[in-house]
């Protein structure tokens, strides 16, 4: 293809250990549709079609920089062209009732754990758990619960599913499947059970043997990736491997859509009637997959997935001082509630989270011009005023004293930080009555946190340079349980 030198027009990948080659694939075909209609692997189900129920979960594996990565994805959203050079594992590839059930299948799909009724969601649960075990042979109960955030069950209920799978954990109450806090032995040695009855005898489950798992296809360790330039009947798919190739394609197709996980574009095409005739996959551009810690914070490439970002943020929170990583902690809490694990495994922070209002101009509208790309974003370390705000609302000690740096520069960034903690506050900007606005803001903050002031006094002096300075103090009502004293020196700098 002239647009991408050396590109190929076919894709090749492995499914359950067997190689699959597709000449001139349709760029609009999803992995799920191909598995079910072309390979007749129908254990993978079509549920919601938008990555919400997890019935279509499969495991994708690939080799990069000497490491094999396993991840659970929604096959209903994954474009077929996106799995070139990867290995796909479906339910049929890990075990069957004709041959031998995998320990994961044994715990949910037969009567021992009572984890399956209609069975429609079962393949997705099994593949989510299987992928987790390929990455961690002895996961914690928290990891097991997190692995199913993108899986829904509409009939069985989650208790038998979770309790069956938690027998893989060594950290929980029933880790090892032999000891449980529910079991009590009486003085005569007779075993009794307190509370709800157990659902199964976990000691009868076949243990997991990681050495018996299918090996990653050796050919994928040595075959180099080649750029893709696929002309479908209606849609063209390109996969550059360098930043220069990506920029050339964007210049050639300025209205093209950049694709990583297809979690948004796939939904738009399926359910909203959207049509994009040129798609460019950025998943294999090295510059877009990098993360780096700088003096200012964490730089995140545009193709870094939310799962990778979450892992890096956790590492930084654990290794850096707490006052520098509060922004990271807040993002981790947000990510915990964002979509399911399968979506986070392929979705990117730049594709779904844009915080700067100068960049995000409206619903699904940004200031990126045709032909441009977003290379990376910076997540800054927490600044010192966040630490002050954190201590400002502390209510644990008998006496809380909060003091800002004196003089503290009351710039707009500081005020915006306050609003980040209390988005309901209204602060008027301007030179008129600035002192009164600060006074009211502090009063409402204290009132909101049940620190009702007995008196609030302030002494601000105005100069010709529109600088307000002075000492304000607030003494809360004294009680036998808590007393709050705040001594703050403010300096207002009219520089924004």
């Amino acid at each position: 293809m002239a647009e991408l030198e050396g590109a190929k027009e076919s894709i090749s990948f492995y499914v359950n250990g067997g190689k699959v080659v597709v000449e001139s694939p349709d760029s609009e075909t999803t992995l799920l549709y191909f598995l079910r209609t072309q390979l007749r692997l129908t254990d993978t189900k079509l549920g919601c079609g938008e990555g919400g129920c997890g019935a279509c979960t499969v495991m994708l594996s690939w080799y990069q920089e000497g490491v094999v990565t396993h991840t659970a994805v929604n096959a209903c959203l994954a474009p077929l062209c996106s799995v070139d050079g990867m290995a796909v594992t479906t339910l049929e590839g890990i075990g069957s009732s004709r041959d031998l059930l995998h320990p994961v299948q044994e715990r949910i799909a037969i009567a021992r754990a009572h984890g399956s009724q209609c069975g429609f969601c079962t393949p997705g649960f099994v593949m989510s758990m299987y992928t987790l075990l390929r990455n961690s042979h002895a996961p914690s109960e928290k990891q097991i619960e997190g692995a199913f955030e993108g899986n829904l069950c509409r009939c069985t209920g989650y208790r038998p599913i979770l309790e069956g799978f938690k027998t893989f954990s060594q950290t929980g109450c029933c880790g090892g499947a032999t000891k449980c806090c529910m079991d009590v032995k009486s003085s005569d040695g007779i075993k009794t059970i307190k509370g709800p009855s157990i659902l199964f005898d976990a000691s009868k489950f076949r243990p997991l043997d990681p050495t018996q798992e299918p090996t990653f296809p050796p050919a994928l360790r040595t075959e180099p990736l080649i750029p893709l330039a696929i002309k479908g009947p209606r849609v063209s798919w390109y996969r550059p491997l360098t930043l220069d190739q990506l920029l050339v394609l964007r210049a050639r197709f300025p209205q093209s859509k950049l694709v990583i996980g297809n979690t948004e574009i796939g939904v738009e095409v399926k359910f909203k009637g959207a049509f994009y005739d040129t798609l460019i996959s950025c998943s294999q551009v090295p510059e877009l997959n990098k993360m780096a810690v700088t003096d200012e914070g964490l730089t995140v490439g545009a193709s870094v997935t939310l799962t990778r970002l979450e892992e890096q943020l956790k590492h930084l929170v654990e290794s850096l001082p707490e006052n520098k990583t509060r922004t990271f902690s807040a993002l981790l809490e947000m990510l915990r509630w964002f979509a399911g694990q399968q979506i986070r495994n392929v979705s990117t922070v730049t594709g779904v989270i844009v915080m700067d209002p100068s960049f995000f101009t409206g619903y699904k509208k940004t200031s990126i011009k045709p032909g441009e790309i977003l290379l990376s974003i910076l997540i800054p370390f927490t600044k010192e005023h966040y630490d002050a705000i954190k201590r400002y609302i502390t209510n644990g000690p008998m006496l809380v004293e909060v003091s800002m740096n004196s003089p503290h520069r009351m710039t707009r960034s500081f005020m915006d930080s306050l609003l980040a903690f209390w988005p309901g506050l209204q602060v008027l900007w301007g030179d008129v009555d600035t002192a009164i606005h600060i006074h009211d803001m502090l009063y409402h903050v204290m009132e909101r946190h049940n620190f009702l002031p007995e008196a609030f006094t302030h002494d601000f002096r105005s100069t010709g340079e529109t600088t307000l300075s002075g000492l304000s103090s607030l003494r809360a009502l004294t009680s036998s349980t808590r007393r709050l004293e705040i001594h703050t020196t403010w300096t207002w700098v009219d520089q924004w």
Side-chain angles (χ1 to χ4, degrees):
M1 291 291 178
E3 300 89 357
L4 204 56
E5 185 178 355
K8 64 177 183 177
E9 300 180 43
S10 63
I11 62 173
S12 61
F13 54 99
Y14 284 75
V15 178
N16 297 332
K19 188 173 183 178
V20 178
V21 178
V22 184
E23 300 289 343
S24 301
D26 188 346
S27 303
E28 297 181 83
T29 299
T30 64
L31 175 60
L32 176 63
Y33 183 83
F34 184 83
L35 291 174
R36 291 182 61 84
T37 62
Q38 301 301 312
L39 301 184
R40 299 297 178 183
L41 298 174
T42 55
D43 281 354
T44 307
K45 307 301 182 185
L46 172 61
C48 65
E50 57 183 349
C53 70
C56 64
T57 303
V58 298
M59 185 179 77
L60 280 187
S61 307
W62 64 89
Y63 182 78
Q64 190 172 32
E65 298 180 352
V67 178
V68 176
T69 300
H70 305 291
T71 186
V73 302
N74 295 117
C76 71
L77 291 177
L80 178 62
C81 295
S82 69
V83 301
D84 177 69
M86 299 183 180
V88 181
T89 304
T90 70
L91 189 69
E92 293 92 340
I94 68 172
S96 69
S97 57
R98 291 189 301 271
D99 301 319
L100 180 66
L101 288 174
H102 190 276
V104 176
Q105 296 170 307
E106 181 186 29
R107 280 159 172 75
I108 186 174
I110 60 177
R112 289 184 182 176
H114 314 285
S116 181
Q117 287 187 22
C118 78
F120 196 84
C121 70
T122 301
F125 275 95
V126 169
M127 292 311 300
S128 291
M129 187 67 217
Y130 178 77
T131 304
L132 177 61
L133 291 174
R134 290 301 300 266
N135 291 310
S136 176
H137 302 323
S140 66
E141 290 192 356
K142 185 176 181 180
Q143 287 178 306
I144 293 174
E145 292 177 0
F148 300 133
E149 291 171 356
N151 293 87
L152 299 179
C153 174
R154 295 176 174 86
C155 58
T156 305
Y158 297 99
R159 181 193 172 196
I161 296 173
L162 286 173
E163 290 199 6
F165 284 150
K166 283 181 178 180
T167 58
F168 288 113
S169 174
Q170 301 298 317
T171 61
C173 161
C174 297
T178 57
K179 296 181 180 180
C180 180
C181 63
M182 306 290 289
D183 297 340
V184 180
K185 284 189 177 181
S186 60
S187 57
D188 56 3
I190 299 177
K191 184 177 180 180
T192 59
I193 299 176
K194 62 178 181 179
S197 60
I198 58 175
L199 297 177
F200 51 81
D201 184 359
S203 63
K204 295 182 179 180
F205 287 141
R206 188 162 57 91
L208 176 71
D209 185 357
T211 63
Q212 299 303 307
E213 300 296 349
T215 58
F216 183 77
L220 292 181
R221 295 177 180 267
T222 57
E223 293 179 358
L225 282 179
I226 300 176
L228 293 180
I230 298 170
K231 297 282 189 179
R234 300 198 311 158
V235 178
S236 297
W237 176 280
Y238 297 93
R239 184 189 66 189
L241 299 182
T242 66
L243 182 59
D244 289 341
Q245 291 176 343
L246 173 58
L247 294 174
V248 168
L249 287 171
R250 281 291 278 175
R252 173 70 175 82
F253 305 105
Q255 301 299 330
S256 59
K257 278 288 185 177
L258 303 181
V259 183
I260 304 294
N262 201 45
T263 56
E264 182 68 21
I265 294 176
V267 173
E268 291 179 348
V269 170
K270 284 184 178 182
F271 300 106
K272 300 181 181 180
F275 176 74
Y276 308 107
D277 60 5
T278 304
L279 301 176
I280 302 177
S281 172
C282 306
S283 60
Q284 300 298 326
V285 178
E287 291 86 349
L288 271 63
N289 279 286
K290 293 180 179 179
M291 287 186 286
V293 179
T294 67
D295 293 338
E296 296 181 339
L298 175 64
T299 300
V300 183
S303 295
V304 173
T305 64
L306 295 177
T307 296
R308 287 184 57 204
L309 174 62
E310 185 177 18
E311 294 171 352
Q312 179 68 3
L313 290 177
K314 288 180 179 178
H315 170 70
L316 294 176
V317 168
E318 293 173 355
S319 59
L320 295 177
E322 188 262 349
N323 64 324
K324 292 185 63 175
T325 60
R326 286 181 180 146
T327 301
F328 299 166
S329 298
L331 284 175
L332 285 172
E333 179 64 17
M334 291 172 61
L335 288 173
R336 189 168 72 90
W337 300 103
F338 183 84
Q341 188 65 56
Q342 296 92 320
I343 295 295
R344 295 198 298 270
N345 286 341
V346 297
S347 185
T348 66
V349 63
T350 55
V352 296
I353 303 176
V354 182
M355 301 180 184
D356 189 346
S358 64
F359 179 80
F360 186 71
T361 59
Y363 180 63
K364 296 185 179 179
K365 295 180 180 180
T366 67
S367 59
I368 294 181
K369 299 177 182 179
E372 293 182 340
I373 67 167
L374 178 61
L375 182 64
S376 64
I377 64 171
L378 172 68
I379 305 176
F381 289 124
T382 308
K383 303 301 182 182
E384 63 178 16
H385 46 253
Y386 285 97
D387 181 58
I389 296 168
K390 181 72 174 181
R391 289 180 284 122
Y392 185 79
I393 61 172
T394 302
N395 59 4
M398 291 289 290
L399 176 63
V400 181
E401 290 191 1
V402 181
S403 60
M404 308 292 187
N405 290 338
S406 180
H408 185 78
R409 297 168 66 85
M410 280 285 291
T411 61
R412 185 169 186 171
S413 62
F414 174 79
M415 302 294 281
D416 287 341
S417 301
L418 282 175
L419 295 180
F421 278 82
W422 302 287
L425 291 177
Q426 297 293 321
V427 179
L428 300 179
W429 301 101
D431 296 332
V432 181
D433 294 332
T434 305
I436 301 302
H437 296 318
I438 296 176
H439 168 283
D440 292 342
M441 178 192 68
L442 293 177
Y443 182 91
H444 290 302
V445 166
M446 305 310 293
E447 186 179 44
R448 180 169 179 172
H449 291 275
N450 296 321
F451 297 137
L452 300 178
E454 183 177 17
F456 190 100
T457 60
H458 63 276
D459 179 17
F460 288 94
R461 297 185 302 276
S462 178
T463 67
E465 299 175 349
T466 67
T467 300
L468 296 173
S469 62
L471 179 66
S472 67
S473 62
L474 168 67
R475 184 179 301 277
L477 290 173
T478 303
S479 67
S480 59
T481 58
R482 182 175 61 197
R483 184 165 63 112
L484 175 72
E485 292 186 357
I486 294 184
H487 305 280
T488 306
T489 300
W490 306 96
T491 300
W492 176 267
V493 183
D494 189 15
Q495 60 178 14
W496 48 269

